[in-house]
Amino acid sequence: MVTCSVLSLFKNPSTRAETLSFRVEPNCQIIGSFNGLLCLYDYDGDFRLCNPSTRLTSKKSPHSFWSRQDITHFGFGYDQVKDKYKVLIAIRALNMTKVHTFGTNSWTTIQNPIFSESGDKEGKFVGGTMNWLNKRTGSYGNWAIVSFHMEKETYSEVLLPPKHDGGNKHVLDVLSNCLCFHYFDESHWVLWLMEKQESWTKLMLIPHNRICNFRLFFHPLCISGNGDVLAKCLDPQLVLYNANKGTYNYPKLRGWFRPDMHIYHESLVSP
């Protein structure tokens, strides 16, 4: 595993990535990060938590018995009321969601809402909820956000920004601790931010006509106080956009080998 300070990237796009002594096994996938903890999923179907700062890992979850092909949706988040970390997986064939609370020895079962094959697979955690873009069954071009409340362990639906049902290359992310919904039109990526419950604000327009790969893959990772947006895309791997100047920069992470990137905050939290 290698790390790089986000602040250093904003100041110096050619910052070198640092290698940690903490090693993530090649068969593990990072499926989420919160409070300085990473949730890892291996090919054997087991989950565990790790803190790269302290080099500590938790015990593995009880075996889930489902392969990656069986899991249609998943997510990792935090129940603030009970001070517990949870991972959930949705199994389409069984039409149910399995939830594991780390520190326990079991999975609980919850009935699924109807997930579509066109929706997100990886959930976005923010404000105590896990969220996925999901196409409503039996409709064409009609999308919404399926939201899972981590403490209550219940599903609900959140509407997209007004007069929009998903658009082209629509994506759900987390930016500034808020849900961020974005899509592209003929010349721009359009970013919306949900700063209050189900209240959307158009954040900015990012022109993509200069770089065609923006049309294929664009995920904002974070935004600075002066309006710089750091995002990952296909090629180059990272792009830094200054909204005030309308300029682009392309950070090069020398020493970066893994294709997946996650923002995490260093902490001493025990997994």
Side-chain angles (χ1 to χ4, degrees), residues 192-210:
W192 290 79
L193 212 61
M194 181 185 285
E195 297 178 305
K196 298 180 181 180
Q197 183 67 27
E198 298 197 39
S199 177
W200 293 96
T201 301
K202 186 178 289 188
L203 180 65
M204 67 175 64
L205 302 176
I206 299 181
H208 62 63
N209 54 342
R210 303 180 200 179

Side-chain angles (χ1 to χ4, degrees), residues 27-251:
N27 68 337
C28 283
Q29 175 186 1
I30 300 173
I31 68 166
S33 170
F34 189 74
N35 278 355
L37 299 181
L38 302 180
C39 182
L40 305 180
Y41 174 58
D42 61 35
Y43 286 115
D44 294 328
D46 300 318
F47 297 85
R48 67 180 184 272
L49 300 180
C50 73
N51 185 328
S53 299
T54 62
R55 317 299 197 264
L56 297 177
T57 61
S58 69
K59 294 181 179 179
K60 290 185 178 182
S61 66
H63 191 64
S64 63
F65 297 103
W66 295 283
S67 68
R68 295 191 183 206
Q69 290 72 28
D70 297 323
I71 299 173
T72 58
H73 299 80
F74 59 85
F76 165 67
Y78 177 62
D79 175 354
Q80 185 174 2
V81 175
K82 299 177 182 176
D83 189 25
K84 295 292 184 180
Y85 296 88
K86 299 180 180 181
V87 62
L88 63 94
I89 53 179
I91 313 298
R92 183 188 304 280
L94 302 178
N95 191 31
M96 63 178 58
T97 296
K98 295 287 186 177
V99 181
H100 171 64
T101 300
F102 286 96
T104 68
N105 295 314
S106 61
W107 293 81
T108 58
T109 302
I110 299 164
Q111 200 70 17
N112 267 359
I114 300 177
F115 282 110
S116 72
E117 295 182 2
S118 304
D120 287 339
K121 185 165 186 175
E122 180 178 351
K124 308 300 179 183
F125 177 74
V126 64
T129 63
M130 188 66 59
N131 303 273
W132 301 263
L133 270 179
N134 190 55
K135 187 175 181 181
R136 289 167 171 162
T137 303
S139 62
Y140 177 77
N142 192 1
W143 294 74
I145 296 171
V146 172
S147 184
F148 180 83
H149 196 286
M150 298 299 291
E151 190 265 325
K152 297 178 181 178
E153 296 190 352
T154 57
Y155 281 104
S156 61
E157 186 176 271
V158 177
L159 297 180
L160 294 178
K163 299 181 180 179
H164 192 82
D165 66 356
N168 298 316
K169 297 292 181 183
H170 48 276
V171 182
L172 193 66
D173 276 307
V174 174
L175 198 60
S176 298
N177 293 319
C178 299
L179 274 182
C180 176
F181 172 73
H182 50 102
Y183 60 94
F184 77 80
D185 58 22
E186 292 183 357
S187 59
H188 293 82
W189 275 97
V190 184
L191 274 64
W192 290 79
L193 212 61
M194 181 185 285
E195 297 178 305
K196 298 180 181 180
Q197 183 67 27
E198 298 197 39
S199 177
W200 293 96
T201 301
K202 186 178 289 188
L203 180 65
M204 67 175 64
L205 302 176
I206 299 181
H208 62 63
N209 54 342
R210 303 180 200 179
I211 305 175
C212 63
N213 281 327
F214 275 23
R215 296 173 63 91
L216 302 176
F217 186 86
F218 178 84
H219 283 269
L221 296 170
C222 57
I223 184 170
S224 70
N226 62 359
D228 290 348
V229 176
L230 179 68
K232 56 182 177 180
C233 53
L234 289 179
D235 187 18
Q237 197 170 31
L238 289 174
V239 60
L240 190 60
Y241 174 73
N242 187 297
N244 296 321
K245 299 178 181 179
T247 57
Y248 303 90
N249 211 325
Y250 309 100

